Amino acid sequence: MSVFWEALAAIGTLFAVAVSVTFGIVEGVRARRDRRELVSLRRQAETDAHAKAAAERVAVASLVTSWITDDYTYSPAASSYERTVTLHLANESNEPVTNATVNVFLGDRQRLIGPLATPSPIPVVPARREFTWDISTGIAAYDDTNEPRVALGFTDSHGKRWRREDSTLQETTDADVFHYAQKDPAAAAAQIGAVDPARNPMIVAHAFADLLWAEEDQFDQTVFVSLLDPLASGWQGTWDTNRVQQLRDLLSNFSNLAALAWYGAPRVAYARIFSDASLGQVSKAGTAVAVDGYFITLVHRGEQGWRVFGVGERYRPDQIFFPDAESAGERPD
């Protein structure tokens, strides 16, 4: 009997071992399945989180827009309509955006004519805020301006850079989303604008700089003086060789005139002239550099058109007198 019970006990032990092994295998399979499901759930959660974050970024970026309005107001005094072109920049999201840059272009998207009266860049556009700038004077320097449009670049609160042009919004890796024509002479000329000193301050700035850069035997003092603002105290007095040479010396290492003007007020414009050393840095697309240069400040004097007010530091509009504004029925700038 003892043999029988020993055999039976052995069978029971084997059965217990088998059950234990089977249970272990089942639990192992279940644990591996649970781990796979947990990993899958984590990956799905991460994917959903990335998708949600991306959707939120797009949602913020989609609420940052820029556009141009073109309005006409009848003026009884002039018996004509006056055109007012306004650039708008709005951030309707709940987050601020930074480093916003705007550029106006005419027809062909390659014909960028610059920010005009808009600061560039704009450090911060707060949430739920809209800015406006009158760009009428800058537009007037060009022909074929029936449909001015605007392209916008900005950085969201997550550090993502965006470009918007009309209804198209796209993410970009370029720090500078605009590239001006530098090697195409025809495109560059189109960016400068109409050859009319009454409308275009850059024509006067080019004539002024070209005379100072010219050889001494080609310097025409009569033409040079005609480009200067007669109301600017800095130009008053007798122009002799020494005085002209002082200006030549000031600009001796600054022989690069930027193609586009910037407008501080409807009757105040700035042309930028920078050094030869800065030229190579400026030409590197997407690179922000501190440009070594001067400003040519220009003012619009009614029928006289644009004139050079000063060279060197940028004169603010409130530092310039416009005694003709009130008598002409204009709002002082």
Side-chain angles (χ1 to χ4, degrees), residues 24 39 118 145 198 211 216 315-316:
V39 170
T118 309
T145 62
L211 278 171
E216 291 187 15
Y315 288 88
R316 300 192 315 268

Side-chain angles (χ1 to χ4, degrees), residues 1 20 30 52 67 94 99 127 147 192 203 222 227 238:
M1 292 295 293
S20 177
R30 183 179 299 169
K52 182 180 179 181
W67 69 98
N94 293 321
N99 194 29
E147 296 182 2
I192 292 174
I203 299 304
T222 301
L227 300 174
T238 303

Side-chain angles (χ1 to χ4, degrees), residues 52-119:
K52 182 180 179 181
E56 289 175 351
R57 289 197 298 269
V58 173
V60 170
S62 66
L63 294 175
V64 181
T65 56
S66 187
W67 69 98
I68 291 175
T69 55
D70 205 345
D71 301 311
Y72 295 85
T73 304
Y74 183 72
S75 172
S79 299
S80 63
Y81 282 91
E82 295 181 356
R83 183 186 188 189
T84 302
V85 185
T86 306
L87 190 150
H88 304 256
L89 172 60
N91 176 14
E92 296 298 337
S93 76
N94 293 321
E95 299 181 12
V97 297
T98 60
N99 194 29
T101 54
V102 295
N103 261 279
V104 178
F105 63 100
L106 305 173
D108 184 350
R109 64 182 301 272
Q110 298 299 323
R111 191 185 178 190
L112 292 170
I113 61 175
L116 301 182
T118 309

Side-chain angles (χ1 to χ4, degrees), residues 215-279:
E215 299 295 334
E216 291 187 15
D217 59 350
Q218 296 178 349
F219 179 79
D220 190 324
Q221 183 167 310
T222 301
V223 174
F224 179 77
V225 172
S226 72
L227 300 174
L228 308 179
D229 178 24
L231 298 182
S233 59
W235 300 133
Q236 295 173 4
T238 303
W239 280 90
D240 55 20
T241 303
N242 291 334
R243 198 174 181 196
V244 173
Q245 190 59 45
Q246 289 177 354
L247 270 178
R248 287 180 177 274
D249 292 341
L250 176 68
L251 302 179
S252 61
N253 296 319
F254 297 81
S255 58
N256 302 282
L257 188 64
L260 304 174
W262 182 77
Y263 297 83
R267 295 174 61 183
V268 180
Y270 306 101
R272 288 151 295 181
I273 185 168
F274 47 91
S275 67
D276 299 341
S278 297
L279 182 61

Side-chain angles (χ1 to χ4, degrees), residues 103-293:
N103 261 279
V104 178
F105 63 100
L106 305 173
D108 184 350
R109 64 182 301 272
Q110 298 299 323
R111 191 185 178 190
L112 292 170
I113 61 175
L116 301 182
T118 309
S120 185
I122 303 165
V124 178
V125 183
R128 301 290 181 179
R129 184 73 181 274
E130 178 181 344
F131 296 136
T132 61
W133 294 273
D134 186 342
I135 60 171
S136 307
T137 305
I139 287 290
Y142 296 84
D143 298 320
D144 303 325
T145 62
N146 290 331
E147 296 182 2
R149 298 152 65 192
V150 60
L152 166 68
F154 61 93
T155 302
D156 66 19
S157 58
H158 300 280
K160 297 295 183 181
R161 189 71 175 158
W162 298 86
R163 175 189 173 93
R164 177 186 287 282
E165 186 177 313
D166 297 331
S167 60
T168 302
L169 176 68
Q170 66 182 42
E171 192 174 337
T172 177
T173 57
D174 288 342
D176 185 359
V177 299
F178 309 106
H179 305 294
Y180 297 102
Q182 296 179 345
K183 298 181 180 179
D184 185 343
Q191 286 180 349
I192 292 174
V195 186
D196 183 353
R199 292 189 290 146
N200 192 346
M202 289 305 299
I203 299 304
V204 176
H206 271 283
F208 175 82
D210 287 344
L211 278 171
L212 288 179
W213 292 330
E215 299 295 334
E216 291 187 15
D217 59 350
Q218 296 178 349
F219 179 79
D220 190 324
Q221 183 167 310
T222 301
V223 174
F224 179 77
V225 172
S226 72
L227 300 174
L228 308 179
D229 178 24
L231 298 182
S233 59
W235 300 133
Q236 295 173 4
T238 303
W239 280 90
D240 55 20
T241 303
N242 291 334
R243 198 174 181 196
V244 173
Q245 190 59 45
Q246 289 177 354
L247 270 178
R248 287 180 177 274
D249 292 341
L250 176 68
L251 302 179
S252 61
N253 296 319
F254 297 81
S255 58
N256 302 282
L257 188 64
L260 304 174
W262 182 77
Y263 297 83
R267 295 174 61 183
V268 180
Y270 306 101
R272 288 151 295 181
I273 185 168
F274 47 91
S275 67
D276 299 341
S278 297
L279 182 61
Q281 296 174 304
V282 171
S283 63
K284 295 179 181 178
T287 302
V289 295
V291 177
D292 183 19

